[in-house]
Amino acid sequence: MKAEFRAPTSKDRKPLIELLPLKTPLTMYIDPSSICNFACKFCFQANKKIKRQMQLQLMTMDIFNMIVEQLGDFEDSIKMVHLHGFGEPLLNKNFYKMVKILRDSKLVDRIATTTNVSLLTKENTHKIIESGLNQVHFSIYGLSDDNYLTFSGKKTSFKHILDNIKYFYANKKNCHIHIKINGDYYSNADKERFLDIFGDYCDSIFIDGVANIWPLMDVAETLSINLSKEQKETTKLQHQYKHIKPQKDNLCPNIFYQLMIHSNGDISPCCADYLGKIKLGNIKTHNLKNIWGGGNRVWS
Ligand code: SF4
């Protein structure tokens, strides 16, 4: 296997305590699409009741351009913009334009996205690479057509997924490719098979786990294996990257270094706030830098 087995976080990370307080967020999530074409078992996109509470839409270029304009107010560049949030980013036909505008703005050091690969083609592979994306995370939801149907709720050709990843890898230039699968739903033999199949077509690869970060949902309930009560508790508390051990009373570090901008322009402190309940403002009416410095808070 050519790829390095590791989580996708930067190797150059400094301890947050040495950097605080930050005049500029290190990370920003900008969601091009809160709509998804999949309905994965562990995801809120599969829960019809919860989905009715979400703002499902594609981000307009007007909203996106307002965000970029306001990024220029910060003193430093943003270390990483994740151009994805709560849906499938490639559903937004302006995705490539958005990457290029961010790249040309020189206000951002690195741009990344996460996709379920279903909409990846040879044609848009070149558009993505030429736009200047630095890092792409390919999420794998099965190792066969049947797996995909069961897990993502969508008829998908596994051959399409694999062929397009191979094509992307062959043409990737400087774009770092990370591939991951949700290991909690697969046997050890399947995990080995996943590494064998994809390990030569990416720069880093990882076997993730479910993490109970979505309010109103218990992802442990969607696991196909029978968990004991104790195992369910462990699942509730575990982090997606299992070497990180969250404790019940620990303070979440995310709010000290990241902001989330929803597809409708709402601003949240956290990439888990998929319902936009912790609304700090909206890009049309509020200023990002003011919000980061302690601006208005609107509880909804
Ligand atoms: S592809 Fe991602 S956003 Fe879409 S349903 Fe699956 S986990 Fe959720």
Side-chain angles (χ1 to χ4, degrees), residues 36-40 42-46 85-88 116 139 141 152:
C36 191
N37 57 340
F38 277 11
C40 298
F42 66 93
C43 181
F44 43 77
Q45 295 279 3
F86 305 114
E88 170 51 45
N116 64 29
S139 299
Y141 294 111
S152 73

Side-chain angles (χ1 to χ4, degrees), residues 12-77:
D12 307 324
R13 278 192 165 193
K14 294 200 173 90
L16 191 58
I17 192 78
E18 291 174 14
L19 304 173
L20 296 179
L22 287 163
K23 289 186 178 154
T24 305
L26 296 176
T27 305
M28 202 167 284
Y29 286 81
I30 302 175
D31 190 3
S33 168
S34 52
I35 303 167
C36 191
N37 57 340
F38 277 11
C40 298
K41 274 185 181 183
F42 66 93
C43 181
F44 43 77
Q45 295 279 3
N47 187 317
K48 288 194 179 117
K49 203 168 147 203
I50 291 178
K51 220 168 142 179
R52 278 200 285 274
Q53 299 177 51
M54 287 179 71
Q55 299 272 350
L56 295 171
Q57 65 186 80
L58 303 176
M59 181 176 277
T60 62
M61 284 309 293
D62 281 352
I63 289 181
F64 183 77
N65 286 328
M66 281 180 216
I67 298 167
V68 178
E69 198 183 322
Q70 291 198 24
L71 292 184
D73 294 342
F74 286 108
E75 294 190 20
D76 307 306
S77 59

Side-chain angles (χ1 to χ4, degrees), residues 62-113:
D62 281 352
I63 289 181
F64 183 77
N65 286 328
M66 281 180 216
I67 298 167
V68 178
E69 198 183 322
Q70 291 198 24
L71 292 184
D73 294 342
F74 286 108
E75 294 190 20
D76 307 306
S77 59
I78 310 286
K79 296 267 176 246
M80 175 73 101
V81 165
H82 291 271
L83 208 49
H84 79 271
F86 305 114
E88 170 51 45
L90 295 183
L91 282 172
N92 192 323
K93 66 175 180 4
N94 291 319
F95 175 81
Y96 323 95
K97 209 192 281 182
M98 290 172 171
V99 178
K100 185 156 185 340
I101 289 172
L102 276 177
R103 168 63 46 238
D104 291 347
S105 75
K106 303 202 186 323
L107 299 169
V108 172
D109 293 354
R110 288 181 69 75
I111 308 161
T113 198

